[in-house]
Amino acid sequence: MRRVGITFLAALAAVSVVSVSANPLPSTTQLTSSQPTGTKKCHANPTPFVIPSLQEWDGGSGNWRLDANTRIVVDPSFANGGALDADNTFMRNPSNLKQYAASFQADISEVTGVNAEVVVSSKYGPNDIFLTLGADSTDPELNIEGYLLDITKKGISIQGVTSRGAFWGTRSILQMLILADERGYALPHGHARDFPNYNERKFMQDIARKPIPMSDLHEYATLSSFYKFNTLHHHYNDNPGMQVKSILPDWQTKYAGFRLRTENPAYSMYASNDTSYTKQDMREFQDFIKARGLDLIPEIDTPAHSLCFTKFHPNWSIQNDTARGDWLDLGNPEVQPFLEGLWTEFIDWFDSREVSIGADEYDPSKGDLARKFVNSMHDYFATHFNRSIRMWGSDVRLPGTIEINPNIHTDHWDWTYSSPVDLVKRGNKVCNLNAPDTYLVPRTLSYEDFIDSRKIYDLWEPWVFDIFDKTNTSRNLSPNEPLLTGGGLGNWNDFLSESVTRVELFDRVSRGLDVFGEKLWAGAKNSDHISYDKWAPLAKKLRENIPGITLRRRPQSKGQFLMSYDFENGVTDASDNAYDAKLQNGATIVEAGEGHGRAAQLTPDSYISTPVDAISYPYAVAMWIKPSGDQQPNAVILESEDGRVLISNSTAPTVTFEQDGNQYDTQVILPPGQWSHLAFSADTKQTTVFFNMRRVATVQYYNPRWDVLANSTMLITAPLSTIGSAKGNSMSGLVDGFVVLDRASYGGEMAFLGKRFADALP
C-alpha cells in the first residue's frame, strides 16, 4: 500500500473531532471497631462512592494507601468459616474467609498490579487488610450479611457477621481502589457500618433460549458479585412463545433448549446440541460462585415451557387443538413420574437447598390440576431431597379451589398471574421480579430492551410493585414486610439466540445490574443518597473496570486508532498502540500495483494474526480487498471467538456477518479481480455496512414471532483476532489499508479514509 504514515493519522484525528457495637473480638486481634455516628465532622472525609452505597459512614481524616507491602490477613479464628455461615445461605458448604481472601487477592492484582499476599495471622500491620468475623449477629439491621469496615492508620479491617458479609466488605474496598486509581490507590480514613436491606438480591437469567457458554456464566457471576448480589437463578429449559396447536401445527419443529447433559440414556436425549452443561461443569461453576458470595437457584420449568420434552413425547402434551404444544398433560399418568425422575437425576448436581419448578403460564382451564401438581412437588422435594421449592407467581391464572402451599417461595412477575399482596396474606414468601420494571428482554416490544436505570434509581424499590401508585397498599408491600425476601433483575431471551449477540447481551445486563444492586442493598434509605446524574458517571467507571470481565470487548487504545496496517513495512501497526500483527502459514506481503503499493496476500491456508481479539461498539473497521476469482464456501475475511466476517455464505455471494453461530446477510458483493473498499461501523443503535465508501446496508435480524414480525438492527462485535482464518478457510486475494477505529464512523469519513489509503479508486 502507498505510504500514509503517522502524519495522515494525525490529520484524520484532527478532522474527525467534530448505632450498634460489635461483639468483643478475640483478644489476639488488633481490631478496634468504631461505631459510625452519622454526625458530620469538620473536614471529615466524605462518604466514599461504592455500589451499592454504604449505609453508614463516619469519616476520619487522612488516607490509607495500598502499596507493594500490603497483605490480606485472615483471622485464624475464622479462617475456615464462622458458626453462622452454613445456615444462612441457599447453598450447602459455603465458602470461608480463606477462599474469599483468594478471590480478593486476584481482584486487587488485576485492578492495581499489586500482588497482595494472603496470610493467616491474628496480627496485621498498617499496610494490611484484615478479614475477621464477630460483628453483632443479634443486630436486626446488620443481619447475617452486614459488616463493619475500619480504614485507619493502623490498617484496614473488615469484620463480618458471616464470612460472606466480610466478603461484601472486600467489594467495597475493591471499588474504592478502582475509583482511586488517579490518587495512587489512597483510600479515606473512616468507619462504615454496612448491611443489606433485603436478604435476596438476585440475578435471574434465561439461559435456555440463548445458548450461553460456561465461560460467560462465570463472568455474569463475577459481575453480580461485584454489586453484592447474593443469588443467581438459572432457567435451564424453554422454547419460544407458542400458540395453540390449531394455529401452530408444526409446533414440534420449533427450537427447544434444555441445558443439562447427563450420560444417563433415559435423560440424555433432552440436552441441547448447541450448548449444554455436564455435572462436572456445574460442580466447577458452583465452586466458582461460592468463592464470590453467590448462591445458585436451578430451575427446570414445567408443566408449561416444556417443548424440550413434548417434542420427544407428543402424547405427553395436552391432546387438543386449543392447547399449546409445550404444555405437559398433568392428567397423563406418565408425566408426573417422569418429572420426579428427571429431578432425581439432576438434584445432586446442585448444592442449593431450594430449587425452582417454574410452574408458570400453564393451561388456565386446568387450574386445580396445576395447583395439585405444585403442592405434590413441594411434598416430593421435602420428603425425598430435604429441599424446598419456589415457583413463578401463577395462582390468578390458575383458578381453582385447591390452596397452593404457603411454604412455596414465590417469584412474583406479573399482576395478571399473581398478586404479591395476596401472596403474603396467605403466608407465601415473595421475591419481586415484577414486570416490566425488573425485566430485560432484548429486542422486545413489551419489556425493556435496555433497563431504564434512571427510572429504577429514582422510583423503584424492592417493596414497590406499582411505580405509578407507590402509596397504594393494595398494589405494594410494606418496606419491612417480613415475607418480602427481596428482588432482582430478570433477563429473558424470548426471541432466541439470533436476536442478540453474547456481547450485546452482557452489555445490556451490566447496564442494569448496578442500579438494581444499589436499590436491593441500600435503596433510598442510605444516608448519603446522591442524584442519579451524579451517580451515573461513577457507576460507568466502575462498570468499565470490573476485574475478571472480558465480555466488554473494549481493548485498550491510546487514541482513536486502535490498529492500522498499511503493509508497506510488513504488518507493523501504525497506530500508537503497537499492535503489530504476524504473517502466518504462508501469508506474504507483495507489490500490488494499481496505486496500492504493497498489500497482504492470503490463500485459504494462510492468515494474519493480531494481538487484539475483538472490539465491541462503538467502532469502525475498514479495508481494501481484491478477491481472487476462486473462493471456498464461507471463506473468511475476519475471525475471532465472537464470530466471523465472510466473503459469502452457503446460499448467497454476499458479505455475511456471523455471530454466535448465527448468520446475518448483507447486500454487498465483492467482485473478483478488482479492488473494493469494505467497511462496517457500529454505534449504540446499529451496525452500518459501507461498500466503496458509501453506506449500503445495516445488519438486521428479522423476528418471525407472530406478535412482532419486524426487523431489528444488530450490534455486531467486530472479530479482529485474524485477517483470514486460522482454521484453513481464509479468503483468497489481497488485503490493504486495514484500519480499526475505537469509535463509530460514517460515510464522509469512510471516503476520506479510503481515498487516503489508495491512489486507484473503484
Side-chain angles (χ1 to χ4, degrees):
M1 149 173 281
R2 181 169 71 83
R3 176 177 295 281
V4 178
I6 299 300
T7 302
F8 159 63
L9 298 184
L12 180 57
V15 169
S16 59
V17 174
V18 193
S19 95
V20 178
S21 300
N23 283 342
L25 292 172
S27 58
T28 54
T29 69
Q30 298 175 317
L31 178 61
T32 302
S33 291
S34 299
Q35 166 63 28
T37 64
T39 302
K40 299 296 182 182
K41 297 179 290 188
C42 184
H43 307 302
N45 288 326
T47 305
F49 183 91
V50 296
I51 300 176
S53 301
L54 297 175
Q55 294 276 21
E56 298 175 6
W57 171 260
D58 187 9
S61 60
N63 296 289
W64 176 94
R65 192 179 300 274
L66 181 81
D67 62 24
N69 297 315
T70 296
R71 303 176 304 165
I72 301 169
V73 181
V74 180
D75 189 337
S77 299
F78 306 106
N80 295 315
L84 298 176
D85 286 356
D87 294 332
N88 289 291
T89 170
F90 283 133
M91 306 283 273
R92 296 173 297 186
N93 305 315
S95 289
N96 56 45
L97 276 186
K98 283 197 299 185
Q99 292 165 322
Y100 285 133
S103 299
F104 188 33
Q105 177 190 45
D107 292 338
I108 288 178
S109 178
E110 184 172 340
V111 167
T112 70
V114 172
N115 186 23
E117 181 186 6
V118 176
V119 298
V120 178
S121 175
S122 60
K123 296 182 179 180
Y124 67 101
N127 298 108
D128 297 335
I129 302 170
F130 184 58
L131 304 182
T132 187
L133 304 183
D136 188 0
S137 62
T138 65
D139 180 349
E141 276 194 330
L142 200 58
N143 73 46
I144 59 172
E145 292 183 86
Y147 64 93
L148 304 176
L149 170 65
D150 292 285
I151 308 175
T152 71
K153 63 182 179 181
K154 296 181 179 180
I156 293 179
S157 61
I158 302 170
Q159 182 186 23
V161 176
T162 60
S163 297
R164 180 151 68 178
F167 182 68
W168 298 143
T170 71
R171 302 304 85 188
S172 295
I173 294 298
L174 181 64
Q175 293 187 17
M176 292 181 202
L177 289 170
I178 291 172
L179 296 177
D181 59 339
E182 297 178 359
R183 303 192 304 271
Y185 303 115
L187 307 187
H189 287 167
H191 312 286
R193 178 174 173 268
D194 199 20
F195 49 86
N197 291 340
Y198 295 93
N199 289 333
E200 185 174 13
R201 305 177 304 282
K202 178 164 74 173
F203 172 47
M204 176 271 153
Q205 190 164 35
D206 170 11
I207 60 176
R209 288 178 284 198
K210 171 68 179 177
I212 298 180
M214 183 57 73
S215 59
D216 289 13
L217 294 182
H218 281 71
E219 295 203 21
Y220 282 110
T222 298
L223 176 69
S224 303
S225 172
F226 187 76
Y227 298 118
K228 302 187 177 78
F229 282 75
N230 63 1
T231 306
L232 302 175
H233 177 152
H234 283 171
H235 182 78
Y236 289 118
N237 68 291
D238 215 326
N239 42 266
M242 306 284 283
Q243 293 176 292
V244 298
K245 293 178 179 179
S246 61
I247 299 175
L248 194 68
D250 62 343
W251 59 272
Q252 285 180 259
T253 68
K254 302 305 179 182
Y255 182 87
F258 184 74
R259 299 300 172 199
L260 303 178
R261 180 175 295 278
T262 176
E263 296 180 359
N264 185 340
Y267 303 101
S268 60
M269 71 182 81
Y270 307 116
S272 299
N273 291 325
D274 49 8
T275 299
S276 56
Y277 317 120
T278 66
K279 185 176 184 179
Q280 183 61 30
D281 290 335
M282 296 313 303
R283 176 70 273 141
E284 293 172 359
F285 178 70
Q286 289 173 98
D287 290 344
F288 177 85
I289 69 171
K290 284 181 183 181
R292 283 147 187 85
L294 290 161
D295 299 334
L296 174 66
I297 301 294
E299 177 188 344
I300 300 177
D301 193 359
T302 61
H305 301 277
S306 298
L307 184 60
C308 58
F309 308 125
T310 61
K311 70 189 308 179
F312 287 96
H313 311 283
N315 59 307
W316 289 0
S317 69
I318 297 175
Q319 299 297 297
N320 65 65
D321 286 345
T322 61
R324 289 177 6 185
D326 65 336
W327 285 345
L328 286 164
D329 183 0
L330 292 175
N332 186 318
E334 296 179 354
V335 168
Q336 184 154 342
F338 165 75
L339 295 176
E340 292 171 352
L342 183 75
W343 272 109
T344 300
E345 175 67 24
F346 291 110
I347 192 67
D348 287 339
W349 289 29
F350 300 102
D351 292 343
S352 180
R353 297 184 179 94
E354 186 168 285
V355 304
S356 176
I357 63 166
D360 61 321
E361 298 186 296
Y362 189 58
D363 186 345
S365 71
K366 299 183 181 299
D368 266 338
L369 196 59
R371 289 165 174 252
K372 180 180 178 181
F373 167 72
V374 298
N375 286 344
S376 67
M377 292 299 279
H378 169 274
D379 296 342
Y380 187 83
F381 274 80
T383 302
H384 290 78
F385 309 133
N386 192 29
R387 306 198 198 200
S388 59
I389 66 169
R390 66 196 300 154
M391 62 181 286
W392 294 101
S394 302
D395 60 294
V396 172
R397 291 290 292 270
L398 293 174
T401 59
I402 297 174
E403 287 291 333
I404 294 177
N405 192 313
N407 293 314
I408 299 176
H409 197 166
T410 304
D411 289 303
H412 169 84
W413 69 282
D414 192 301
W415 278 93
T416 62
Y417 284 84
S418 66
S419 162
V421 177
D422 290 344
L423 285 168
V424 299
K425 285 179 179 177
R426 292 197 298 266
N428 294 92
K429 292 186 295 184
V430 174
C431 178
N432 185 352
L433 286 172
N434 186 55
D437 303 326
T438 71
Y439 266 33
L440 171 63
V441 187
R443 300 204 160 83
T444 183
L445 302 178
S446 303
Y447 300 116
E448 303 277 15
D449 188 19
F450 281 86
I451 290 296
D452 185 343
S453 294
R454 183 186 294 273
K455 180 187 78 171
I456 299 303
Y457 190 86
D458 289 338
L459 299 175
W460 187 85
E461 299 286 343
W463 55 270
V464 172
F465 293 81
D466 186 345
I467 64 170
F468 296 108
D469 199 4
K470 294 169 65 172
T471 62
N472 188 339
T473 57
S474 69
R475 300 283 294 176
N476 302 282
L477 298 178
S478 163
N480 299 315
E481 169 57 55
L483 291 176
L484 176 61
T485 58
L489 171 63
N491 162 224
W492 295 97
N493 298 304
D494 287 19
F495 305 129
L496 306 183
S497 178
E498 59 265 30
S499 68
V500 64
T501 71
R502 292 166 54 210
V503 177
E504 281 185 293
L505 181 60
F506 187 84
D507 181 52
R508 281 164 164 77
V509 171
S510 67
R511 291 169 186 260
L513 274 184
D514 52 3
V515 70
F516 277 101
E518 177 69 44
K519 301 310 287 284
L520 287 163
W521 182 280
K525 297 193 297 185
N526 73 78
S527 58
D528 289 275
H529 195 62
I530 64 174
S531 72
Y532 179 80
D533 289 331
K534 292 181 179 179
W535 181 88
L538 294 171
K540 182 176 183 291
K541 182 171 182 179
L542 287 177
R543 185 169 64 244
E544 294 176 350
N545 291 278
I546 302 173
I549 299 298
T550 67
L551 280 167
R552 289 191 65 249
R553 302 292 198 263
R554 294 295 297 170
Q556 297 271 333
S557 185
K558 296 178 181 178
Q560 63 175 324
F561 286 90
L562 179 69
M563 306 158 74
S564 180
Y565 305 134
D566 62 14
F567 302 114
E568 293 300 316
N569 293 308
V571 286
T572 301
D573 179 17
S575 80
D576 293 332
N577 299 310
Y579 288 141
D580 295 344
K582 293 181 180 180
L583 299 170
Q584 304 281 10
N585 229 33
T588 59
I589 304 298
V590 300
E591 292 292 337
E594 301 180 89
H596 280 268
R598 306 184 78 196
Q601 185 171 52
L602 299 179
T603 63
D605 292 328
S606 63
Y607 62 98
I608 300 169
S609 62
T610 84
V612 178
D613 185 63
I615 185 170
S616 179
Y617 54 91
Y619 67 82
V621 177
M623 71 199 85
W624 287 93
I625 300 180
K626 184 180 180 181
S628 66
D630 192 16
Q631 301 289 337
Q632 297 184 82
N634 296 306
V636 177
I637 301 173
L638 297 172
E639 188 172 61
S640 77
E641 174 192 348
D642 294 300
R644 306 185 296 177
V645 180
L646 308 176
I647 200 168
S648 63
N649 60 58
S650 300
T651 60
T654 53
V655 173
T656 301
F657 292 92
E658 186 177 275
Q659 302 268 281
D660 307 344
N662 305 301
Q663 292 191 344
Y664 307 90
D665 202 353
T666 73
Q667 303 170 17
V668 176
I669 299 175
L670 299 179
Q674 68 182 67
W675 285 103
S676 299
H677 193 261
L678 176 67
F680 56 101
S681 177
D683 55 20
T684 58
K685 297 181 179 180
Q686 63 187 11
T687 306
T688 304
V689 184
F690 302 85
F691 178 63
N692 287 337
M693 293 158 278
R694 292 187 177 184
R695 180 183 184 273
V696 296
T698 58
V699 181
Q700 296 190 334
Y701 146 76
Y702 178 73
N703 190 330
R705 206 170 97 161
W706 76 91
D707 55 349
V708 182
L709 300 176
N711 284 316
S712 297
T713 56
M714 298 293 295
L715 293 174
I716 298 297
T717 302
L720 300 175
S721 182
T722 59
I723 303 172
S725 173
K727 300 174 183 177
N729 195 35
S730 298
M731 59 152 282
S732 297
L734 301 176
V735 178
D736 198 7
F738 184 85
V739 176
V740 182
L741 302 178
D742 76 342
R743 59 172 178 81
S745 188
Y746 305 94
E749 277 194 342
M750 286 299 176
F752 182 81
L753 186 64
K755 292 175 182 178
R756 285 284 184 163
F757 274 103
D759 288 331
L761 300 178

